[in-house]
Amino acid sequence: MWSYSFEVPILMILAIILGFYFARPRLPLKRNVTFIKMIIIETLTIIADLAATMADNDYTSYSVLTLNVLNMVYFIAFFSRAYIMYLFSASVTKDSLEQRKFIRQVLSLPWFMGVILSILSAAFGSKKTSYLIFYIDSGGYHSGGMYNYMYICSFFYIIMAFISAGLYWKSLGRRREKYGIVVYNLFIFVALLTRFTLPRHLIMDTVILMAILVVFLAFINPEFFIDLRGYAFNHVALAEHLEENIGKIKFTPVGVVVRNFNEMTDIYGTAQMEEGLVLIGKHLKKEFPRGITFYLRNGRFLVLIKPDADVRRKLKEIRERFYKPWKSQTAELYLSVSFTTYDPVTERHLPEIILKTTLKTLDIAGSIESDEPMFITAASLEQEELETKVRRCIETAIKDTGFELFLQPIVDAATGQVVGAEALSRIRDEEGNIIAPGIFIPVAENSGRINELGELVFDETCRFIKENNPGKSGVNWINVNLSPMQFVRTDLAERYASIVDEYGIDPGCVHLEITEGSMIDDSFSERQIDAMTEKGFKFVLDDYGTGYSNLSRLKKCPFTTIKLDMSIVWDYCKKPDEILPNMIQTFKHMGFSITAEGIEDTNMVNTMKNIGCDLLQGYYYSMPVPAAEFAKKYLK
Ligand code: C2E
Ligand code: MG
Ligand code: MG
């Protein structure tokens, strides 16, 4: 008689996993549902195995019917476990079986056949048959000719799981998940192999338990999905939820944002704010008992509710609740609130687009004072879609150096001669149309690609100088824009100096344009500018007049030129005043030369010249043109 006592701890461990899972908030994600089914089936398999083995060993005490039924249940459970363990792999690898009904049905056939064979074995297996899994005769239980089908079927599902993981490898986001799915399937494989080769050692269920533990730790653990001590789900949960349900379930997202979150956190401190957020999460859960509440960091909550709910009334109630403090033993916070909402989610958009737009709108709502909910509009969804497209184009531009260098001449105000130029980059969309930098530069900054892109522009400008020697024609320098993200790099001086060295050009020919937005940390800016100046580069302050200007900072920075932003140039030309001319004089006393951008007509040329601008740039002289065209037009 084999000892099955080790099955008891396995059942107990399964019960603990299940208990922990149900004790925490959880989302009805497909993977979670499959996981629960898996535990149930595994439990059933173990119990049926115990019962059938017990009866088989003492077959004279049981009726043939009982023996048949017990063995049938065991085999059905065995086949179902193999199938469900495969389905779990498919659910986490986002193998879109749901959409491919035919393939799904074909893939369920081996399981279905196993079930039919188990039933047939119980119904007709009274003597040795080659086409059944087992039979019961006067000598008790015997394996049938198709007994090994249980291995064939199980191995088939493991192979399918590995194929599915291979095909959809990229959809497994984290390393934990990637390792998880491989180790999980390896355990199932080992479990089967041991049962097949060492059937008397009974270790299959222990190894299956290990597989279940692996998926629990890698995928299911509710802690991965919750925030605020369990009063809300986190952004990972939201991404998964949208991915599964957009287009299937209709819901209205309601955004609830703590207004001026960062400033309020400065006032109350992180610990107290955290406590306040927990209280808000708790309250939202109470207000929307049937909704799903997510907390998306920075004071942003999103509740997904049924479209027919009376949103306006609810929002009014929540706003009124915010008139009172959020109070616990350790905290008392006075906060105000903003809302966002929109009509039931459009099915046309991808979940990631909806998610990003929602987050952006929540941020905007949190920074303005309005009691009206801010609507997530079709236009903002489309804008997000466009940005995704632009991101793709940036990737292509970087990979295939698909960006183009344009140059715009800069003219000496006194002589009207082209003495310099500004390098402005362009990329193209899939149809070949130009995407303006006003659109792609912010996207590149957000996606972290601006460093590569900026360096390509710099490199290309150096190459242009090397190949065309513009100094010979009186074009003494070319300005290259430097994004704040590039400016803060500590290796900037080395990188740019090595590019300049590579082309063997004078670094003084390349002027770097930065905006005041780059100079957040004064001492760092000074150090950076010093390091770059030491290497021979010169700096230009771009878009002067658009940010918070700080004269004492300017005094410390050796800019060669200050470029007046076109908005103040235009304002002045429309309505002259005393301020700009005086400012220009001050700058000139400080040793800076002045460039006016956005010069579009003769009147502007004269006006800016008269108030002391040294250099002029604008459509009046030329729009930015492809570098080759610039060389043809302005260089000999
Ligand atoms: P910016 O550096 O201030 O460049 C001047 C912008 O004004 C250019 O727009 C130019 O085409 C435009 N402009 C020049 N003259 C006139 C005029 O008379 N009228 C009008 N309406 N516009 C004029 P562009 O090329 O679209 O670039 C926009 C911004 O994108 C640039 O502003 C710069 O901040 C950024 N940018 C462009 N290329 C790069 C780059 O390679 N790297 C980085 N970091 N930023 C870049
Ligand atoms: Mg510029
Ligand atoms: Mg500018």
Side-chain angles (χ1 to χ4, degrees):
M1 172 73 188
W2 293 335
S3 166
Y4 277 87
S5 52
F6 64 88
E7 300 279 18
V8 177
I10 295 182
L11 289 175
M12 284 159 72
I13 294 171
L14 289 177
I16 290 175
I17 297 175
L18 214 57
F20 180 72
Y21 175 79
F22 280 109
R24 305 299 284 149
R26 66 221 156 261
L27 277 177
L29 294 175
K30 214 179 301 157
R31 63 164 70 165
N32 291 357
V33 176
T34 315
F35 179 73
I36 297 306
K37 283 188 196 161
M38 189 154 87
I39 292 195
I40 293 170
I41 291 283
E42 171 63 0
T43 311
L44 195 73
T45 314
I46 292 175
I47 293 172
D49 193 8
L50 288 176
T53 313
M54 223 156 61
D56 292 348
N57 285 332
D58 188 16
Y59 64 92
T60 46
S61 313
Y62 296 88
S63 69
V64 173
L65 178 68
T66 314
L67 290 175
N68 270 318
V69 169
L70 287 177
N71 282 290
M72 178 190 76
V73 172
Y74 168 67
F75 282 105
I76 290 179
F78 189 96
F79 285 114
S80 305
R81 178 175 65 183
Y83 182 44
I84 208 98
M85 291 191 103
Y86 157 70
L87 283 183
F88 183 82
S89 286
S91 75
V92 294
T93 53
K94 317 266 162 47
D95 191 340
S96 47
L97 286 178
E98 291 300 313
Q99 279 116 51
R100 293 175 296 147
K101 207 166 163 208
F102 176 69
I103 296 183
R104 197 179 60 188
Q105 281 170 350
V106 170
L107 283 172
S108 70
L109 280 182
W111 163 76
F112 188 66
M113 205 173 122
V115 173
I116 296 293
L117 279 176
S118 308
I119 296 171
L120 288 178
S121 300
F124 301 111
S126 56
K127 55 182 183 310
K128 189 168 171 47
T129 42
S130 55
Y131 57 90
L132 294 176
I133 296 175
F134 68 91
Y135 63 95
I136 312 279
D137 63 10
S138 53
Y141 167 90
H142 303 279
S143 302
M146 286 295 274
Y147 180 78
N148 279 342
Y149 177 69
M150 62 195 273
Y151 295 116
I152 296 171
C153 174
S154 306
F155 280 121
F156 167 78
Y157 281 125
I158 293 179
I159 292 168
M160 290 317 294
F162 276 117
I163 291 177
S164 162
L167 285 178
Y168 298 92
W169 190 244
K170 284 208 176 118
S171 70
L172 291 161
R174 287 151 214 274
R175 223 164 43 171
R176 152 167 64 78
E177 298 191 339
K178 289 191 160 95
Y179 284 132
I181 204 69
V182 173
V183 176
Y184 163 73
N185 280 300
L186 278 179
F187 270 132
I188 306 175
F189 180 72
V190 170
L192 265 179
L193 210 60
T194 50
R195 194 185 195 286
F196 185 61
T197 53
L198 311 161
R200 297 189 154 265
H201 285 78
L202 306 176
I203 41 180
M204 180 172 189
D205 286 322
T206 314
V207 187
I208 291 285
L209 173 70
M210 286 158 77
I212 290 177
L213 278 177
V214 167
V215 287
F216 181 77
L217 294 174
F219 294 97
I220 303 295
N221 186 352
E223 300 295 327
F224 295 150
F225 301 101
I226 56 181
D227 205 340
L228 301 179
R229 287 181 229 146
Y231 287 108
F233 292 103
N234 63 13
H235 65 285
V236 182
L238 178 61
E240 294 279 343
H241 183 75
L242 287 180
E243 178 128 17
E244 261 188 45
N245 296 314
I246 287 255
K248 293 187 197 127
I249 303 175
K250 285 223 183 298
F251 49 76
T252 302
V254 177
V256 177
V257 208
V258 174
R259 227 180 256 169
N260 305 320
F261 178 76
N262 291 331
E263 289 81 350
M264 295 321 263
T265 309
D266 284 345
I267 294 175
Y268 288 111
T270 2
Q272 213 178 163
M273 185 52 105
E274 176 86 14
E275 186 73 24
L277 291 169
V278 170
L279 296 172
I280 297 171
K282 219 181 207 176
H283 182 76
L284 290 176
K285 235 177 151 175
K286 205 172 84 206
E287 280 286 330
F288 301 104
R290 301 186 54 201
I292 310 176
T293 307
F294 297 90
Y295 178 62
L296 308 169
R297 301 203 189 112
N298 294 332
R300 303 173 296 189
F301 288 88
L302 189 75
V303 193
L304 301 182
I305 57 172
K306 289 228 147 52
D308 48 12
D310 184 355
V311 180
R312 295 237 156 218
R313 190 175 56 81
K314 283 278 179 205
L315 296 190
K316 190 164 162 272
E317 281 170 21
I318 295 172
R319 186 177 308 114
E320 278 160 13
R321 173 61 190 83
F322 267 82
Y323 294 152
K324 291 186 284 179
W326 299 93
K327 214 165 157 179
S328 76
Q329 273 180 342
T330 51
E332 180 170 350
L333 300 94
Y334 293 81
L335 302 169
S336 46
V337 65
S338 294
F339 299 107
T340 66
T341 182
Y342 53 138
D343 299 330
V345 168
T346 43
E347 289 160 22
R348 241 167 28 77
H349 295 281
L350 289 172
E352 60 172 275
I353 302 280
I354 294 179
L355 185 57
K356 281 192 183 142
T357 316
T358 307
L359 288 177
K360 274 190 192 161
T361 319
L362 283 168
D363 280 340
I364 300 169
S367 62
I368 54 169
E369 294 203 1
S370 164
D371 282 347
E372 281 304 302
M374 183 151 200
F375 271 82
I376 297 165
T377 57
S380 58
L381 286 163
E382 254 135 51
Q383 171 68 24
E384 189 57 49
E385 210 151 65
L386 178 76
E387 277 184 24
T388 309
K389 207 172 107 184
V390 170
R391 222 167 287 136
R392 258 201 320 270
C393 298
I394 293 172
E395 293 304 316
T396 330
I398 290 175
K399 222 171 42 226
D400 316 333
T401 48
F403 87 95
E404 291 162 45
L405 182 69
F406 275 52
L407 294 169
Q408 185 177 30
I410 297 177
V411 169
D412 184 326
T415 63
Q417 294 295 311
V418 176
V419 288
E422 177 170 5
L424 295 157
S425 52
R426 303 284 184 262
I427 62 170
R428 289 184 191 270
D429 65 14
E430 281 127 0
E431 288 86 45
N433 304 314
I434 280 184
I435 307 177
I439 294 173
F440 75 80
I441 294 289
V443 176
E445 284 175 334
N446 279 336
S447 64
R449 302 303 254 166
I450 191 69
N451 278 310
E452 277 133 295
L453 202 73
E455 208 166 288
L456 282 174
V457 178
F458 182 78
D459 190 286
E460 200 57 30
T461 307
C462 293
R463 184 205 305 274
F464 180 84
I465 294 173
K466 165 87 183 162
E467 285 171 2
N468 296 282
N469 193 5
K472 220 171 58 196
S473 317
V475 178
N476 301 316
W477 32 259
I478 298 182
N479 291 359
V480 179
N481 291 284
L482 206 58
S483 271
M485 262 176 69
Q486 292 177 274
F487 182 72
V488 296
R489 285 185 75 131
T490 44
D491 60 353
L492 184 73
E494 271 158 51
R495 293 182 79 94
Y496 273 32
S498 81
I499 296 175
V500 164
D501 279 351
E502 197 185 305
Y503 289 105
I505 59 166
D506 172 14
C509 304
V510 204
H511 294 184
L512 301 170
E513 292 196 4
I514 59 169
T515 58
E516 282 166 305
S518 293
M519 300 190 292
I520 298 163
D521 179 339
D522 278 353
S523 68
F524 176 83
S525 303
E526 254 182 271
R527 253 182 297 136
Q528 182 73 299
I529 292 178
D530 284 350
M532 296 291 285
T533 312
E534 213 169 277
K535 299 269 185 203
F537 293 105
K538 294 198 169 113
F539 277 91
V540 169
L541 182 65
D542 198 5
D543 298 346
Y544 182 82
T546 52
Y548 292 105
S549 301
N550 181 334
L551 277 185
S552 75
R553 184 190 282 160
L554 287 191
K555 226 160 62 183
K556 287 188 225 144
C557 296
F559 293 112
T560 57
T561 295
I562 291 180
K563 273 183 137 184
L564 305 177
D565 189 68
M566 60 182 114
S567 60
I568 51 171
V569 172
W570 290 351
D571 279 353
Y572 180 80
C573 290
K574 258 190 244 142
K575 203 167 164 232
D577 55 39
E578 290 300 306
I579 305 170
L580 193 62
N582 283 325
M583 221 160 65
I584 289 176
Q585 288 317 312
T586 313
F587 286 152
K588 295 185 91 161
H589 280 304
M590 288 164 82
F592 302 122
S593 75
I594 308 293
T595 308
E597 280 189 304
I599 302 295
E600 294 193 346
D601 54 39
T602 346
N603 174 38
M604 290 173 88
V605 173
N606 293 330
T607 315
M608 296 324 282
K609 210 158 100 178
N610 289 343
I611 59 170
C613 291
D614 307 287
L615 298 163
L616 304 172
Q617 176 183 354
Y619 292 173
Y620 173 74
Y621 298 105
S622 165
M623 296 193 52
V625 293
E629 195 180 321
F630 182 91
K632 224 190 275 168
K633 253 186 174 160
Y634 302 104
L635 307 178
K636 286 188 244 28

